[in-house]
């Protein structure tokens, strides 16, 4: 492609609202343009990168025996009502009405649509297993779109769905998809981890997220210092290796703690360790109020709480609800004397506290020498806290370390969550009706594009990996008015294309400095500069990844470049 004939609007200045490198560089290099908050147009270079990512995804999906189809973006509300998610998915679901006042949603995901298709078309176990996928735009009304393509309101996604007659069959396809995803992200050259994850609003269990390691990632990965264990911090289990202090229980005492409400304030005021304090938090689990206890130096993991109760919604009780249900303010809440109508559960560490400190359910007072069992009753002790750096790895090998990650893929075992709700059944080999067992597998294609840039850039611009670069070679005649340079550039442009390479020819009448700056910003793997030695058939080659430059004769050029840009 000749640069004068395409649209690559580069920018010299960093856009004011672009916070992260991928957002800044994709805007500056002319790959994307923002239409409104969280919604982007992909310009020619950006579209080419998306297609490269899609091609890799399609190849690996085919290797995993998945078949492509395309489903509608606009979905009837009745489907979501049938699954129950019309009411539970939340405000991220974009809802609209047609001229007949019928409710629709713009597809945030397609479990309902695909389940309906398979329910209506597949009746026998002989057609199972079946894996179908699509690559299509998705819509989610993010409260705060940010980081460019990493959190948008419209984005390109690959979503696949598998249907099975047995859990063993689901296990097999799940492993195929795990391998396919690992292959995809490896081919993209990304530094990633597959981590144990939470299924969230999707339902189901046994899920893995594929995380690209990045300091700007919104997710925290907990991984072992000595093994392959890795999990989203929300899902990392804590090994309960606590020890009880070797001291006698002391007499419970109520002490005045004026204006001391937080754990930090109370522990400092009473000169005790935060680990000796009991933090009591009021939660609303669906419509039920629960008191959750955790050690003062730990934080309650609401995902673990949600999974414990198999709840749809878990949220902190408001100050007004705490006052009404518990009879005190949030800063005074403690486990002693909580109304019997409210269940009290605790993290495992609380059971080992001896002579601790807790709120007294009275403004300006706390209890000291608090001891579980003697002073309050707990319905259940279980793992309810976030894992911390330095904790023992759940697999017993090494200790936990943290890293930030960008989620680019997620695979789920859905089970019969949707097939039961929507009546997706088949006849087994004995003629009995059974619900189909399902799996779900997503990749954020446009997010992958941003994640690649986050890992592959330098101070001058993007450094595209060979696998997804929009073009392989950037040919730049220094002076297009120089006949020898112009002719040789055209000749190389033609020959390189005939050799199967994708070439961008900068035929613009711009200063050399502008062309070189744009070339570094755009970030193609190889830059070929046609300059003063054009008449001698010698060009300068720059390798974008290393910055190394060398002079080559035209006769050497094609073979050298082809060897360096192997996909």
């Amino acid at each position: 492609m000749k640069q004068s004939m395409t649209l690559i609007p580069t920018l010299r200045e960093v856009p004011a609202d672009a916070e992260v490198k991928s957002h800044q560089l994709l805007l500056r290099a002319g790959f994307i343009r923002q239409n409104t908050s969280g919604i982007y147009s992909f310009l020619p270079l950006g579209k080419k990168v998306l297609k490269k990512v899609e091609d890799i995804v399609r190849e690996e999906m085919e290797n995993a025996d998945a078949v492509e189809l395309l489903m509608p973006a606009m979905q009837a509300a009745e489907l979501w009502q049938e699954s129950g998610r019309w009411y539970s998915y939340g405000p991220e679901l974009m809802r609209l009405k047609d001229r007949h006042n019928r409710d629709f949603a713009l597809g945030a995901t397609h479990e309902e649509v695909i389940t309906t298709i398979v329910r209506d078309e597949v009746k026998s176990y002989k057609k199972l297993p079946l894996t179908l996928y699509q690559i299509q735009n998705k819509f989610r009304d993010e409260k705060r779109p940010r980081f460019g393509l990493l959190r948008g309101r419209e984005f390109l996604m690959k979503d696949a769905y598998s249907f099975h007659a047995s859990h063993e069959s689901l296990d097999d396809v799940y492993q195929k998809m795990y391998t396919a995803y690992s292959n995809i992200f490896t081919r993209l050259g990304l530094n990633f981890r597959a981590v144990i994850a939470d299924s969230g609003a999707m339902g189901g269990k046994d899920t893995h997220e594929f995380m690209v390691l990045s300091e700007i990632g919104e997710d925290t990965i907990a991984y072992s210092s000595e093994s392959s264990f890795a999990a989203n911090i929300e899902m990392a289990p804590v090994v309960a290796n606590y020890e009880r202090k070797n001291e006698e229980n002391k007499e419970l005492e109520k002490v005045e703690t004026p204006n001391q409400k937080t754990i930090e304030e109370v522990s400092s005021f009473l000169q005790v360790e935060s680990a000796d304090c009991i933090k009591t938090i009021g939660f609303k689990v669906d419509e039920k109020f629960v008191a959750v206890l955790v050690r003062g130096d730990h934080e309650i993991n609401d995902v673990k709480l949600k999974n414990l109760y198999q709840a749809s919604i878990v949220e902190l009780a408001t100050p007004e609800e705490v006052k009404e249900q518990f009879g005190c303010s949030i800063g005074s809440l403690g486990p002693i004397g909580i109304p019997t109508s409210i269940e009290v559960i605790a993290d495992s560490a609380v059971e080992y506290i001896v002579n601790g400190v807790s709120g007294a359910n009275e403004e300006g007072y706390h209890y000291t020498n608090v001891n579980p069992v003697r002073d309050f009753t707990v319905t259940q002790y279980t793992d309810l806290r976030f894992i911390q750096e330095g904790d023992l790895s759940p697999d017993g090998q090494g200790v936990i370390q943290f890293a930030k990650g960008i989620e680019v893929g997620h695979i789920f075992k859905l089970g019969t969550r949707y097939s039961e709700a929507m009546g997706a059944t088949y006849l087994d080999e004995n003629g009995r009706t059974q619900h189909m067992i399902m799996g779900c597998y997503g990749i954020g294609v446009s997010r992958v594009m941003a994640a690649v840039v986050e890992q592959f850039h330098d101070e001058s611009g993007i450094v595209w990996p060979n696998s997804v670069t929009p073009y392989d070679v950037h040919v730049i005649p220094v002076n297009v008015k120089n006949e020898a340079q112009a002719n040789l550039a055209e000749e190389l442009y033609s020959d390189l294309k005939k050799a199967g390479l994708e070439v961008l020819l900068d035929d613009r009448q711009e200063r050399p400095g502008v062309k070189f700056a744009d070339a570094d910003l755009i970030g193609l793997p190889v830059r070929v500069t046609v300059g003063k030695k054009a008449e001698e058939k010698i060009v300068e080659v720059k390798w974008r990844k290393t910055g190394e430059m060398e002079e080559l004769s035209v006769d050497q050029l094609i073979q050298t470049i082809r060897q360096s840009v192997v996909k």
Side-chain angles (χ1 to χ4, degrees), residues 154-169:
E154 179 179 356
F155 52 93
L156 188 63
M157 181 177 175
K158 187 283 300 180
D159 47 322
Y161 308 90
S162 63
F163 297 81
H164 308 268
S166 70
H167 287 284
E168 291 77 16
S169 173

Side-chain angles (χ1 to χ4, degrees), residues 229-347:
F229 173 83
N232 190 302
I233 190 174
E234 296 174 333
M235 291 299 292
V238 175
V239 177
N241 61 337
Y242 309 109
E243 293 182 2
R244 186 176 281 103
K245 285 183 178 180
N246 187 22
E247 60 181 65
E248 295 295 322
N249 290 355
K250 299 177 182 178
E251 185 177 348
L252 184 68
E253 184 179 355
K254 183 189 285 187
V255 297
E256 192 172 1
T257 52
N259 301 316
Q260 311 299 310
K261 297 182 178 180
T262 68
I263 290 293
E264 292 76 14
E265 291 170 345
V266 172
S267 60
S268 175
F269 183 81
L270 296 176
Q271 297 185 328
V272 298
E273 296 293 329
S274 58
D276 292 323
C277 296
I278 298 172
K279 192 183 330 184
T280 306
I281 307 292
F283 278 90
K284 191 175 182 181
V285 181
D286 289 336
E287 294 302 315
K288 174 184 177 181
F289 288 96
V290 178
V292 183
L293 314 183
V294 71
R295 212 168 72 180
D297 59 334
H298 295 158
E299 295 295 331
I300 294 171
N301 184 330
D302 57 346
V303 171
K304 290 180 179 178
L305 181 62
K306 183 178 180 181
N307 291 338
L308 176 68
Y309 282 97
Q310 298 183 332
S312 298
I313 300 173
V314 168
E315 53 191 352
L316 287 169
T318 66
E320 293 76 19
E321 288 170 335
V322 170
K323 190 73 175 176
E324 179 183 346
Q325 298 293 326
F326 297 86
C328 63
S329 66
I330 288 176
S332 304
L333 193 56
I336 299 174
I338 285 180
T340 56
S341 59
I342 295 175
E343 185 178 14
V344 179
I345 62 172
D347 179 69

Side-chain angles (χ1 to χ4, degrees), residues 362-534:
E362 183 179 344
E363 191 72 27
Y365 287 89
H366 279 75
Y367 283 118
T368 60
N369 301 326
V370 177
N371 289 280
V373 181
R374 185 193 72 180
D375 298 322
F376 60 88
T377 300
V378 171
T379 303
Q380 181 179 2
Y381 289 100
T382 188
D383 174 18
L384 289 173
R385 73 169 174 92
F386 281 106
I387 202 165
Q388 295 178 335
E389 285 192 285
D391 283 342
L392 183 67
S393 177
D395 63 359
Q397 301 180 55
V399 297
I400 287 297
Q401 298 176 342
F402 284 173
K404 290 292 186 179
I406 300 167
E407 181 192 338
V408 290
H410 206 157
I411 58 177
F412 306 81
K413 290 181 182 178
L414 294 175
T416 57
R417 157 75 174 83
Y418 294 92
S419 58
E420 286 187 8
M422 304 185 74
T425 61
Y426 67 95
L427 294 178
D428 66 16
E429 58 269 32
N430 298 313
R432 291 195 295 258
T433 298
Q434 306 285 356
H435 286 104
M436 296 180 189
I437 301 166
M438 292 176 58
C440 171
Y441 321 90
I443 288 179
V445 175
S446 50
R447 181 179 282 195
V448 162
M449 177 175 164
V452 168
V453 176
E454 285 295 333
Q455 286 196 343
F456 294 95
H457 69 267
D458 60 21
E459 66 280 357
S460 298
I462 304 169
V463 184
W464 287 109
N466 294 340
S467 57
V468 290
T469 179
Y471 296 93
D472 300 311
V473 187
H474 207 158
V475 176
I476 301 179
V478 173
N479 182 4
V480 294
K481 293 182 179 179
N482 180 289
E483 187 175 351
Q485 292 183 26
N487 289 341
L488 182 56
E490 287 280 356
E491 180 184 325
L492 291 175
Y493 175 58
S494 177
D495 291 345
L496 289 164
K497 288 200 297 179
K498 287 178 183 176
L501 297 165
E502 294 180 275
V503 188
L504 182 63
L505 172 62
D506 192 345
D507 59 340
R508 299 174 298 164
Q509 294 188 23
E510 289 282 1
R511 292 179 289 107
V514 172
K515 291 186 175 185
F516 295 151
D518 281 351
D520 283 343
L521 185 59
I522 292 167
L524 307 186
V526 183
R527 186 183 83 193
V528 176
T529 302
V530 182
K532 294 179 180 179
K533 294 187 179 181

